[in-house]
Amino acid sequence: MDYDASRDRYVWLYQKEAKKLTFKYPYSAVPAEQRPVVIGSFFSKNFDEMYLEIRSIERALEGIVFFDAYIKPYMAIVDSISVINKLFSFAEHTMNFSDYFDQEVTINPEESVQQLQADLSQGKTLETFEKQSLSLVERFPCYFHEDGVTPLKLLLLSRQAIAIQHYMGNTEYTLQDYMLEVVNRQIKN
């Protein structure tokens, strides 16, 4: 960790303890002139809340597990995850994303599951559901300490798959399409 006074943030750097993390490119593959790599940035909104801005789901998943080893639950916990459901070009990678979070929509997974169960009990199938686009920015509760990282990984991978489809021009692709593909793959296997 290091303090970046120019942006009033702490940065999580790919060095020391973080060198053990598993990313696409290991620490040894990062040229010396590009070190240290900033994995994420910590910002504080108020005295008892802070957030870690990370620009990939791989880093987010690694970060949750990494910091869990160093920050005990009585000190701080991850209580929610916010996701921008869009891929950005390389030219946009230095953007300030904070303005996006003004558009954040909070998702209640329990309500979503209850609605899905009610619809399925009324005879609906995934194919008959009305296609709905995801909100640009979604916020989900995080139950990492209760459920582990796998449910969060599945949720984030679904959002990433949809964002990739949109980036490639398939802007009509929805969560329903993703779910149908997953179900069909499971049936074939």
Side-chain angles (χ1 to χ4, degrees), residues 20-38:
K20 300 173 191 166
L21 296 175
T22 306
F23 295 120
K24 183 177 181 181
Y25 299 104
Y27 180 82
S28 61
V30 177
E33 63 274 7
Q34 293 180 1
R35 294 181 192 161
V37 173
V38 174

Side-chain angles (χ1 to χ4, degrees), residues 63-170:
I64 287 173
V65 175
F66 177 83
F67 285 108
D68 186 58
Y70 293 96
I71 301 172
K72 301 303 173 204
Y74 69 88
M75 298 165 70
I77 61 165
V78 177
D79 69 354
S80 61
I81 302 289
S82 295
V83 178
I84 300 176
N85 290 313
K86 177 181 176 180
L87 290 184
F88 294 89
S89 69
F90 184 75
E92 297 171 306
H93 82 284
T94 58
M95 287 176 56
N96 180 350
F97 293 110
S98 60
D99 291 341
Y100 279 92
F101 295 96
D102 293 339
Q103 306 169 50
E104 188 172 76
V105 174
T106 301
I107 306 297
N108 183 329
E110 289 84 13
E111 287 178 10
S112 299
V113 168
Q114 288 173 357
Q115 183 62 51
L116 178 62
Q117 289 172 335
D119 290 343
L120 292 173
S121 70
Q122 293 175 1
K124 282 189 175 182
T125 63
L126 286 176
E127 291 86 357
T128 62
F129 279 89
E130 181 180 331
K131 288 188 172 194
Q132 294 180 347
S133 298
L134 297 175
S135 299
L136 179 59
V137 182
E138 296 177 302
R139 183 179 186 128
F140 303 91
C142 180
Y143 304 112
F144 168 72
H145 284 279
E146 295 86 356
D147 301 337
V149 76
T150 301
L152 180 60
K153 183 177 183 176
L154 295 172
L155 182 138
L156 293 176
L157 286 172
S158 70
R159 276 25 187 205
Q160 183 181 55
I162 295 164
I164 289 169
Q165 289 289 328
H166 290 188
Y167 190 79
M168 294 180 354
N170 187 4

